[in-house]
């Protein structure tokens, strides 16, 4: 009888522990789900309010709006102030992305496919703008640009945004390069191809999706930049982020709700494109 009693006690204890484990798992899942839901709501509710306010016909902020319509979008697309700001942002971002790509792609090959001394230090230096606070970076660039007479010039803004956008392409392309076996290049060179031809015909072609994904991220970074333009730009140089901040600082214009809505949509589309390109390259 004693062994049977002991087995029953062990079984009961095991069942009790199993129930406690299931209850603990359910409590953990419930708590985690609650935290995630609250965090998602805190992120989505402000965005939803901005989208709703962008369809207000009021000249000032009112919630709920007194009347609904597309006044903010009409003002955005017909106002020279906002149109010029958007155009300047694009004119700075596009050449900055092109220059970043032309610099980052050879740098990736030098870091990953050569015996260049201090190549890892070169890679670390390439992502400095992601580590150093932008305000500190802008102050340092201000002193350099004064000496080079690039302050308040279009060329200076393009160079500054190139420094900011370059790490995006470097990081994404380096990650893609690490997944490309070097044996593919060796096989091509064994078949008679030169090193440059093996790089261009095999590695570079496999890197194209990653390069494009990095270029998309670089464009978003440059287009949304609002620190360098304040430190390095001139009185007549107003990009879209600067125009938004000026509007908030000197008098809140409800048009910024339409701008914010379009930027959220635009950024989401570009991020989906970048994600699709990265998956294509894997």
């Amino acid at each position: 009888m004693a062994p049977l009693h002991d087995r029953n006690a062990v079984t009961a204890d095991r069942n009790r522990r199993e129930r406690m484990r299931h209850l603990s798992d359910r409590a953990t899942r419930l708590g985690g789900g609650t935290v995630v839901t609250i965090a998602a709501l805190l992120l989505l509710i402000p965005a939803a309010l901005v989208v709703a306010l962008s369809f207000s016909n009021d000249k000032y902020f009112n919630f709920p709006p007194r009347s609904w319509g597309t006044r903010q979008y009409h003002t955005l697309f017909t106002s020279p102030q906002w149109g010029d700001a958007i155009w300047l942002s694009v004119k700075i971002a596009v050449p900055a992305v092109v220059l970043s790509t032309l610099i980052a792609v050879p740098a990736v090959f030098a870091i990953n496919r050569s015996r260049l001394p201090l190549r890892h230090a070169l890679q670390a230096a390439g992502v400095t703008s992601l580590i150093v606070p932008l305000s500190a970076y802008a102050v340092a660039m201000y002193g350099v640009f004064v000496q080079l007479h690039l302050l308040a010039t279009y060329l200076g803004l393009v160079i500054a945004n190139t420094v900011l956008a370059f790490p995006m392409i470097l990081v994404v392309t380096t990650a893609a390069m690490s997944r490309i076996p070097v044996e593919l290049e060796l096989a091509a060179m064994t078949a008679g191809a030169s090193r440059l031809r093996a790089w261009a015909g095999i590695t570079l072609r496999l890197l194209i999706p990653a390069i494009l994904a990095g270029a998309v991220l670089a464009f978003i970074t440059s287009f949304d930049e609002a620190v360098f333009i304040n430190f390095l730009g001139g009185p007549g140089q107003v990009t879209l982020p600067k125009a938004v901040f000026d509007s908030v600082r000197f008098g809140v214009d409800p048009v910024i709700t339409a701008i914010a809505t379009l930027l959220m949509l635009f950024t989401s589309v570009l991020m989906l494109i970048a994600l699709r390109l990265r998956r294509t390259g894997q």
Side-chain angles (χ1 to χ4, degrees):
M1 295 296 293
L4 180 60
H5 177 73
D6 291 341
R7 284 199 299 270
N8 291 336
V10 170
T11 302
D13 184 64
R14 185 184 303 162
N15 291 336
R16 182 180 60 82
R17 291 183 179 182
E18 190 71 18
R19 287 195 300 271
M20 291 297 296
R21 187 175 66 83
H22 284 308
L23 289 174
S24 176
D25 290 343
R26 289 181 61 184
T28 302
R29 287 196 298 268
L30 180 60
T34 302
V35 171
V36 171
T37 302
I38 293 174
L41 290 175
L42 291 175
L43 292 173
L44 294 176
I45 289 177
L49 290 176
V50 169
V51 174
L53 286 172
S54 70
F55 291 98
S56 167
N57 270 344
D58 299 339
K59 293 183 179 181
Y60 306 99
F61 276 109
N62 288 305
F63 190 83
R66 295 171 182 165
S67 61
W68 299 90
T70 58
R71 177 185 181 277
Q72 314 307 336
Y73 293 95
H74 181 268
T75 303
L76 172 62
F77 291 120
T78 57
S79 171
Q81 172 192 355
W82 297 107
D84 293 344
I86 294 172
W87 177 235
L88 181 59
S89 294
V90 173
K91 284 200 305 181
I92 293 173
V94 171
V97 171
V98 173
L99 287 175
S100 299
T101 304
L102 294 177
I103 298 171
V105 173
V108 169
F109 278 94
I111 293 169
N112 294 274
R113 291 295 192 267
S114 75
R115 297 179 180 178
L116 184 70
L118 301 177
R119 59 184 182 275
H120 297 297
L122 177 64
Q123 183 178 7
V127 297
T128 303
S129 62
L130 296 178
I131 302 171
V132 179
L134 280 184
S135 55
Y137 215 102
V139 170
M141 294 185 73
Y142 182 90
V144 175
F145 278 25
V146 168
Q147 298 295 325
L148 298 177
H149 303 289
L150 291 174
L151 196 64
T153 64
Y154 171 73
L155 178 60
L157 292 176
V158 171
I159 293 174
N161 279 263
T162 300
V163 172
L164 188 63
F166 167 78
M168 299 297 171
I169 303 178
L170 180 67
V171 170
V172 174
T173 310
T174 299
M177 174 74 86
S178 65
R179 295 192 296 269
I180 299 177
V182 69
E183 288 78 13
L184 296 177
E185 301 166 12
L186 296 177
M189 288 187 286
T190 302
S194 65
R195 181 178 293 273
L196 288 178
R197 185 166 184 179
W199 283 353
I202 297 177
T203 310
L204 186 59
R205 289 177 61 185
L206 293 175
L207 284 176
I208 287 177
I211 294 172
L212 293 177
V216 170
L217 296 177
F219 181 85
I220 294 173
T221 302
S222 178
F223 190 86
D224 289 342
E225 197 285 315
V227 177
F228 286 164
I229 187 65
N230 284 287
F231 280 88
L232 308 175
Q237 295 173 321
V238 180
T239 59
L240 182 60
K242 187 177 187 304
V244 171
F245 280 116
D246 289 345
S247 174
V248 173
R249 181 180 178 184
F250 299 113
V252 180
D253 188 343
V255 175
I256 63 176
T257 58
I259 296 173
T261 300
L262 293 177
L263 283 178
M264 286 189 289
L265 178 62
F266 179 66
T267 304
S268 300
V269 171
L270 289 182
M271 290 299 293
L272 289 174
I273 293 174
L275 182 61
R276 180 65 181 271
L277 289 171
R278 286 206 63 187
R279 288 180 176 176
T280 302
Q282 291 179 352

